[in-house]
Amino acid sequence: MMNGNAAEEKEPFRPMDAEQLRKYGHKMVDFIADYYKSIEQFPVLSQVQPGYLKDHLPNAAPDQPEEFQDVLDDITKKIIPGVTHWQSPNFFGYFSASGSIAGFLGEMLCSGLNTIGFNWITFPASTELEITVLDWLAKLLNLPEKFLSSGHGGGIIQGTASEALVIVLLAARDKILGRIGRNSMDKLVVYSSDQVHSFLKKSCQIVGIHSRNFRVLQTDASSSYGIDPRNLDQAIHDDMEAGLIPFFLCATVGTTSSAAVDPLVEIGQIAEEYGMWFHVDAAYAGNACICPEYRHYLDGVEYADSFGMNPYKWLLTNFNGSCLWVKDQRDLVNSLGTNPEYLANKISRENKFVDFKDMEIPLGRRFRSLKLWMVFRLYGAENLKEHIRNHIKLARQFEELVRSDNRFEIVCPTLFSLVCFRLLPRNEDDGGYELNSELLDAVNSTGKLFFTHTIISGKYIFRFSIGATLTEERHIRESWKVIQNQATIISRKFTLQSKN
Amino acid sequence: MMNGNAAEEKEPFRPMDAEQLRKYGHKMVDFIADYYKSIEQFPVLSQVQPGYLKDHLPNAAPDQPEEFQDVLDDITKKIIPGVTHWQSPNFFGYFSASGSIAGFLGEMLCSGLNTIGFNWITFPASTELEITVLDWLAKLLNLPEKFLSSGHGGGIIQGTASEALVIVLLAARDKILGRIGRNSMDKLVVYSSDQVHSFLKKSCQIVGIHSRNFRVLQTDASSSYGIDPRNLDQAIHDDMEAGLIPFFLCATVGTTSSAAVDPLVEIGQIAEEYGMWFHVDAAYAGNACICPEYRHYLDGVEYADSFGMNPYKWLLTNFNGSCLWVKDQRDLVNSLGTNPEYLANKISRENKFVDFKDMEIPLGRRFRSLKLWMVFRLYGAENLKEHIRNHIKLARQFEELVRSDNRFEIVCPTLFSLVCFRLLPRNEDDGGYELNSELLDAVNSTGKLFFTHTIISGKYIFRFSIGATLTEERHIRESWKVIQNQATIISRKFTLQSKN
């Protein structure tokens, strides 16, 4: 491919010829447009068996080039069957990957320019657009002034919320150790609810917080799975009595299991009182807070040292890119800054612009602000709000469908677009695990929709998460029918089993 | 845009319509193809002043959608002037961002599918293709069997080499602490040469290795800036005498400053003797080792616990994606594995496939193996080798040009495609800093080419790094002329100054 006619005299190898890029680029655009056109025909959850691909591929790279069409055919025949279709309107698993044309075009141009803009001079527009766009988003979210770029605060796009959490935890660690001395490392204590994402524990492991100092505050239905401030206060008090040092509190707005919201005002005040770093992770539900009617879930963010949300979860911005704001960027730079001579330049030296490389783990960085900027401009804030509201409306409709069938129950309040429900078991011996996990497998195996589960308070719960860009009311209704039908089959089987 | 005619009745908001994706996708492909067609017309280093973009953009996101053409025009007028053109054939800074049509198409399809494949069931083809493609690349590099997926070892694509280094350092830390106890954390010592990339120090900071335990072994011209094994042995010996615990050695094949190579066999044997984790970072020069005649630089990698290289630096694979191989993936999983119920599934439970999320910091991951697979298939291994050889040939030609002008000197041997040279100063008082930095600024300010510098053994050195896909012999020759002309002007100025 892309190298003239093999039969001719050997031509120089030209892997970046503008006209070939045009030709094959158009073909790939058509391939992707056709994919979206036919996306509902694929089983949402890939139906392949583990190890399926091995037999389809040679065990070494080819020595000679192959034709583009052959590769495209292989993508259709070998790769696509192994895709779980996150962009399908019937994808309701995890939290969604919110794609759009604008996000796709932004990603395309990003790879086309193929820059590595780790500091200002390596790509001035990348640094400056990132600052601008994160100010835009901060304003849409009505974040406190301290998170805007005008002072010492500001935003930066990390890869994912995990990376964002690692670096704020690190900055908080180094900030307090700088005050009290490195020897106190093993006294540092981190707090969160038991609903916090597993990556908090992982982040603690990475930056060396002792596992026995990771406080997981139990939650239950009485506080809608948010942290009870009294429990937090008590835990801090106990730890200080024991000679430990509380230094980091992670709150969640929209937990992974049930989209629960921690009470930011109350626990933020506690964090302030004890001088702890307060991080608010709103990876999913933060997106909804661009709508004024949901903004109150962020009340209390004014106590936060850092705040993060992922536009790729709901705001039509193709994966990846996690937006992180801190009230003082210098805290990140203190922990992550480097200054080798081979990257030195006048602009960095004069501190005219922060080098984003000094506020993240990777050195090299992609031009991720571009797609976010294109999403804002090509859709406008009003449409983005409409998009969020539409998904929340669909979630309410789905919740109504579940409520109308008394075999099922809604387990948690539907605050956003995640509906938590389950098929009521005969008894609670296993928290409904066997019955519901079998139902989940049965539904997902149909290929007609895909959703996932969690366990809350010992109960096996379905997570039906609406967020795929293409999802409309008909997909909700048809998916519900599939779930109902499979429930009938599974329930009958369980009844028969219990009779035998 | 993309939302029907504004004058009509309000239509539902459709951010993912296949035909609109096709239409705008084609326009964006043309925009990018045209960019490559005219790429030599842009100044390589962006000529904008810090803060230039602020005045060009509104200070809040628009409420209403804008036209696609207006956004594209803004990209041309406002963004492109702020781009430092890494894809220009006259870009010789840092190490290059190696783009290609195949890499671009792979990235395009990756964003089109827009999946988040963190474990097998979320995207089986992604997990399986990544395993296959990293086996292919390992074989091309003739890596030892232990790095192939057939046993406990295998490859994984990280974002960048920085992230790869953090996680192997973490795995090594936890492995030894698991044996000797967490209390020994502050006794752990890391070794590398003084030429190692700054991200080793940063990685130590992240995972909590005490800064006083980061041993930087001095190198000089006598060992071509590679580690002297006797110095390493001595340092380890001294540290053990002092009650410290050597646990991690980082070797580099192709250092950032001068592409120096550490003697892997000798130092690998030392690492083995003392039971240290031995990591080999070949981010740049590892690419050359797909050619049999350069493979000897990796001799000794058989002692390594982990090995990394970045195909985006030279192997026509658009940024990002850093390939990391470890001899035992369980070491990564022990440090980075999580198992929350909301991600649980049968395949993960049965350990049929490793979940790549358990071998990296982020949870979500892009389908990065796709572009690498497309590069291999669309170009073939032989062309990739030709590509490497061609750049090395150009580097030799450039070196000859430098040698033919006795105002300049070549400072380090040109092993790969990086040429290190400088304009000889009148005296060495400042290591030639003033003279050469002024020359660098003068050349880069012309916009005709861009290259960078470093400091080695107190001397200011130019790094002329060949790796941009479009670079041909004429670009080398013309760039050299610009450097010579500017050298004449600067030298005259310095002579006049010294007379005054």
Side-chain angles (χ1 to χ4, degrees):
Chain A
M1 169 249 187
M2 303 176 184
N3 201 11
N5 187 333
E8 291 169 23
E9 277 299 286
K10 193 165 190 294
E11 284 186 15
F13 175 50
R14 292 193 174 283
M16 187 40 100
D17 173 88
E19 291 314 318
Q20 287 188 350
L21 181 139
R22 193 187 311 272
K23 175 177 161 190
Y24 296 109
H26 284 313
K27 279 182 201 273
M28 188 57 96
V29 165
D30 284 331
F31 184 88
I32 294 168
D34 292 343
Y35 168 71
Y36 277 95
K37 231 174 157 161
S38 59
I39 196 164
E40 294 193 40
Q41 294 164 24
F42 301 108
V44 186
L45 176 67
S46 168
Q47 311 280 302
V48 299
Q49 291 303 306
Y52 88 101
L53 193 57
K54 210 169 178 178
D55 300 334
H56 288 301
L57 297 178
N59 59 16
D63 279 334
Q64 298 305 324
E66 301 181 46
E67 291 300 323
F68 180 72
Q69 192 55 50
D70 292 341
V71 174
L72 218 47
D73 289 346
D74 268 4
I75 290 171
T76 303
K77 284 183 222 147
K78 299 172 184 173
I79 302 298
I80 297 290
V83 175
T84 292
H85 299 276
W86 287 68
Q87 295 312 302
S88 162
N90 296 309
F91 184 98
F92 304 105
Y94 313 108
F95 288 121
S96 60
S98 183
S100 72
I101 301 172
F104 170 73
L105 297 174
E107 274 285 325
M108 197 203 295
L109 183 54
C110 167
S111 349
L113 295 173
N114 199 31
T115 53
I116 306 186
F118 43 80
N119 58 19
W120 188 87
I121 75 154
T122 55
F123 191 171
S126 175
T127 295
E128 300 199 17
L129 190 65
E130 189 157 330
I131 292 169
T132 298
V133 166
L134 289 195
D135 275 352
W136 286 8
L137 185 49
K139 287 174 189 169
L140 263 182
L141 289 164
N142 198 14
L143 293 184
E145 187 85 15
K146 66 180 174 187
F147 289 129
L148 297 182
S149 67
S150 40
H152 288 301
I156 172 174
I157 305 180
Q158 303 283 325
T160 64
S162 316
E163 292 150 274
L165 189 62
V166 170
I167 65 161
V168 295
L169 191 61
L170 176 73
R173 181 199 77 181
D174 291 347
K175 194 172 183 177
I176 188 153
L177 291 183
R179 223 167 57 223
I180 63 174
R182 187 189 155 86
N183 292 341
S184 302
M185 179 90 163
D186 275 357
K187 292 185 185 161
L188 302 182
V189 188
V190 169
Y191 302 81
S192 76
S193 90
D194 57 1
Q195 299 298 307
V196 82
H197 197 284
S198 58
F199 59 57
L200 179 57
K201 192 178 166 198
K202 182 163 168 170
S203 301
C204 288
Q205 170 79 2
I206 292 170
V207 308
I209 304 300
H210 204 303
S211 57
R212 70 169 177 238
N213 293 351
F214 176 39
R215 291 289 162 273
V216 162
L217 304 166
Q218 221 180 321
T219 62
D220 58 30
S222 72
S223 63
S224 298
Y225 298 98
I227 290 176
D228 181 334
R230 288 164 305 179
N231 292 347
L232 172 64
D233 202 57
Q234 186 63 51
I236 292 174
H237 188 260
D238 292 349
D239 283 328
M240 289 177 72
E241 287 273 294
L244 298 175
I245 302 161
F247 90 109
F248 191 88
L249 170 62
C250 180
T252 312
V253 174
T255 59
T256 308
S257 275
S258 68
V261 177
D262 287 325
L264 302 190
V265 173
E266 292 86 341
I267 65 176
Q269 284 170 348
I270 294 173
E272 187 177 64
E273 185 184 337
Y274 292 101
M276 297 162 74
W277 185 295
F278 182 36
H279 176 67
V280 176
D281 172 11
Y284 154 68
N287 289 281
C289 302
I290 66 167
C291 304
E293 67 271 32
Y294 299 110
R295 172 57 177 77
H296 65 91
Y297 290 113
L298 293 189
D299 287 352
V301 71
E302 56 274 19
Y303 295 103
D305 295 275
S306 49
F307 171 81
M309 60 82 83
N310 293 355
Y312 65 75
K313 280 193 157 66
W314 208 354
L315 222 53
L316 299 172
T317 311
N318 294 42
F319 184 68
N320 59 15
S322 177
C323 298
L324 172 70
W325 290 265
V326 290
K327 75 170 185 195
D328 194 338
Q329 295 188 323
R330 292 170 300 187
D331 291 331
L332 296 181
V333 176
N334 284 342
S335 290
L336 292 159
T338 58
N339 192 21
E341 186 63 30
Y342 46 78
L343 304 180
N345 63 84
K346 222 167 79 180
I347 306 294
S348 296
R349 243 186 324 262
E350 292 172 0
N351 279 319
K352 284 201 181 157
F353 267 91
V354 68
D355 285 348
F356 277 130
K357 75 172 176 61
D358 292 336
M359 300 200 289
E360 63 178 17
I361 296 172
L363 171 59
R365 51 203 325 269
R366 302 174 77 238
F367 186 22
R368 285 186 293 224
S369 56
L370 178 68
K371 60 184 170 188
L372 201 47
W373 181 64
M374 289 181 66
V375 164
F376 282 131
R377 294 199 56 186
L378 293 176
Y379 299 139
E382 285 308 317
N383 275 324
L384 295 176
K385 291 174 194 170
E386 182 186 327
H387 178 68
I388 296 283
R389 287 171 182 140
N390 183 39
H391 279 167
I392 294 179
K393 197 177 85 187
L394 292 177
R396 299 272 153 82
Q397 289 173 338
F398 185 79
E399 187 184 350
E400 278 316 302
L401 292 171
V402 176
R403 285 191 194 281
S404 68
D405 184 334
N406 59 18
R407 296 175 298 170
F408 291 87
E409 73 166 348
I410 294 287
V411 183
C412 304
T414 304
L415 304 183
F416 306 102
S417 67
L418 173 68
V419 183
C420 291
F421 70 108
R422 63 176 191 150
L423 184 57
L424 283 163
R426 244 164 207 281
N427 61 58
E428 292 284 0
D429 289 353
D430 71 343
Y433 193 101
E434 210 185 337
L435 176 72
N436 281 279
S437 65
E438 199 155 318
L439 175 54
L440 184 75
D441 281 350
V443 174
N444 285 342
S445 296
T446 66
K448 290 180 182 160
L449 69 149
F450 176 70
F451 64 129
T452 56
H453 81 285
T454 189
I455 288 182
I456 308 181
S457 296
K459 290 180 185 170
Y460 187 103
I461 313 280
F462 298 133
R463 296 175 69 268
F464 193 86
S465 168
I466 293 164
T469 306
L470 289 167
T471 303
E472 297 176 15
E473 194 180 328
R474 66 186 167 94
H475 303 105
I476 302 295
R477 298 202 173 277
E478 283 159 27
S479 291
W480 177 240
K481 272 188 215 151
V482 177
I483 295 170
Q484 280 185 309
N485 291 343
Q486 292 296 327
T488 303
I489 298 168
I490 300 281
S491 299
R492 195 177 301 144
K493 186 179 141 197
F494 271 72
T495 311
L496 280 172
Q497 276 174 354
S498 70
K499 281 184 183 156
N500 291 338
Chain B
M1 170 250 189
M2 303 177 184
N3 203 11
N5 187 334
E8 291 169 24
E9 276 299 285
K10 193 165 191 292
E11 283 186 18
F13 175 51
R14 292 193 174 283
M16 187 41 99
D17 173 90
E19 291 315 316
Q20 288 187 350
L21 182 139
R22 194 187 310 274
K23 176 177 161 191
Y24 296 110
H26 283 314
K27 281 183 201 273
M28 188 57 95
V29 166
D30 284 333
F31 184 88
I32 295 168
D34 292 343
Y35 167 71
Y36 278 94
K37 232 173 155 162
S38 58
I39 197 164
E40 295 192 41
Q41 294 164 22
F42 301 108
V44 186
L45 176 67
S46 168
Q47 311 279 302
V48 299
Q49 292 302 307
Y52 88 101
L53 193 58
K54 211 169 178 177
D55 300 333
H56 289 300
L57 297 178
N59 59 15
D63 278 334
Q64 298 305 324
E66 300 181 46
E67 291 300 323
F68 179 72
Q69 192 55 50
D70 291 341
V71 175
L72 219 47
D73 288 346
D74 268 4
I75 290 170
T76 304
K77 284 183 222 146
K78 299 172 184 173
I79 302 297
I80 296 291
V83 176
T84 293
H85 299 276
W86 287 68
Q87 295 312 302
S88 163
N90 296 309
F91 184 98
F92 304 105
Y94 313 108
F95 288 120
S96 60
S98 182
S100 72
I101 301 171
F104 169 73
L105 296 175
E107 275 286 325
M108 198 204 294
L109 183 54
C110 167
S111 350
L113 295 173
N114 198 32
T115 53
I116 306 186
F118 43 80
N119 58 18
W120 188 87
I121 74 154
T122 56
F123 191 171
S126 174
T127 296
E128 300 199 17
L129 190 64
E130 189 157 331
I131 293 169
T132 298
V133 166
L134 289 195
D135 275 352
W136 285 10
L137 185 49
K139 287 173 189 169
L140 263 182
L141 288 164
N142 199 14
L143 293 184
E145 186 86 13
K146 66 180 174 188
F147 288 130
L148 297 181
S149 67
S150 41
H152 289 300
I156 173 173
I157 306 180
Q158 304 282 327
T160 63
S162 317
E163 291 150 274
L165 190 61
V166 170
I167 65 161
V168 296
L169 192 61
L170 176 73
R173 181 199 76 180
D174 291 346
K175 195 172 183 177
I176 189 153
L177 291 182
R179 224 167 56 223
I180 62 174
R182 187 188 156 86
N183 292 340
S184 302
M185 179 89 163
D186 275 357
K187 292 184 183 161
L188 301 182
V189 188
V190 169
Y191 302 82
S192 76
S193 91
D194 57 0
Q195 299 298 306
V196 82
H197 197 283
S198 59
F199 59 57
L200 179 57
K201 193 178 166 199
K202 181 163 166 170
S203 301
C204 287
Q205 171 79 1
I206 293 169
V207 308
I209 303 301
H210 203 303
S211 57
R212 69 168 178 239
N213 293 351
F214 177 39
R215 291 289 161 273
V216 163
L217 304 165
Q218 220 180 322
T219 62
D220 58 31
S222 72
S223 62
S224 298
Y225 298 97
I227 290 176
D228 182 332
R230 288 163 306 180
N231 292 347
L232 172 63
D233 202 57
Q234 186 64 49
I236 292 175
H237 189 261
D238 292 349
D239 284 327
M240 289 177 72
E241 287 273 295
L244 299 175
I245 301 163
F247 89 109
F248 191 89
L249 170 63
C250 181
T252 312
V253 174
T255 59
T256 308
S257 275
S258 68
V261 176
D262 286 326
L264 302 189
V265 173
E266 291 87 341
I267 66 175
Q269 284 169 347
I270 294 173
E272 187 177 64
E273 185 185 338
Y274 292 101
M276 298 162 72
W277 186 294
F278 182 37
H279 177 68
V280 176
D281 172 11
Y284 154 67
N287 289 280
C289 302
I290 65 167
C291 303
E293 67 271 31
Y294 299 111
R295 172 56 178 77
H296 65 92
Y297 290 112
L298 294 188
D299 287 352
V301 71
E302 56 274 18
Y303 295 103
D305 295 274
S306 50
F307 170 80
M309 59 83 82
N310 293 356
Y312 65 75
K313 281 193 156 66
W314 208 354
L315 223 52
L316 298 171
T317 311
N318 293 41
F319 185 68
N320 60 15
S322 176
C323 298
L324 172 71
W325 289 265
V326 289
K327 75 171 184 194
D328 194 338
Q329 294 187 323
R330 292 170 301 186
D331 291 331
L332 297 181
V333 176
N334 284 341
S335 290
L336 293 159
T338 58
N339 193 21
E341 186 63 30
Y342 47 77
L343 304 180
N345 63 83
K346 223 167 80 180
I347 306 294
S348 296
R349 243 184 325 261
E350 291 171 0
N351 278 319
K352 283 200 181 158
F353 267 92
V354 70
D355 286 347
F356 277 131
K357 75 172 175 58
D358 292 336
M359 300 200 289
E360 62 179 17
I361 296 173
L363 172 59
R365 51 203 325 268
R366 302 175 78 238
F367 186 22
R368 286 186 293 225
S369 56
L370 179 67
K371 61 185 169 188
L372 201 46
W373 181 64
M374 290 181 66
V375 164
F376 282 132
R377 294 198 56 185
L378 293 175
Y379 299 138
E382 286 308 316
N383 275 324
L384 295 176
K385 291 174 195 171
E386 182 186 325
H387 177 68
I388 296 283
R389 287 172 182 138
N390 182 38
H391 279 167
I392 294 179
K393 198 178 84 187
L394 292 177
R396 299 273 154 80
Q397 288 173 339
F398 185 79
E399 187 184 348
E400 278 316 301
L401 291 171
V402 176
R403 285 192 194 283
S404 68
D405 184 333
N406 58 20
R407 297 176 297 172
F408 291 87
E409 74 166 348
I410 293 287
V411 182
C412 305
T414 304
L415 304 184
F416 306 103
S417 66
L418 173 68
V419 183
C420 292
F421 70 108
R422 63 176 192 151
L423 184 56
L424 283 163
R426 243 164 209 282
N427 61 59
E428 292 284 359
D429 289 352
D430 71 343
Y433 193 101
E434 209 185 339
L435 176 72
N436 281 280
S437 65
E438 199 154 321
L439 175 54
L440 184 75
D441 281 349
V443 174
N444 286 342
S445 297
T446 66
K448 291 182 181 160
L449 69 149
F450 176 69
F451 64 129
T452 56
H453 81 285
T454 190
I455 288 182
I456 309 180
S457 295
K459 290 179 185 169
Y460 187 103
I461 313 280
F462 298 132
R463 295 175 70 269
F464 192 87
S465 168
I466 293 165
T469 305
L470 290 167
T471 304
E472 298 175 15
E473 195 180 326
R474 66 185 167 93
H475 303 107
I476 303 295
R477 297 202 174 278
E478 283 158 27
S479 291
W480 176 240
K481 272 188 216 151
V482 177
I483 295 170
Q484 281 184 309
N485 290 342
Q486 292 297 327
T488 302
I489 297 167
I490 300 282
S491 298
R492 195 177 301 143
K493 185 179 141 199
F494 271 70
T495 311
L496 279 172
Q497 276 175 353
S498 69
K499 280 185 186 156
N500 292 339

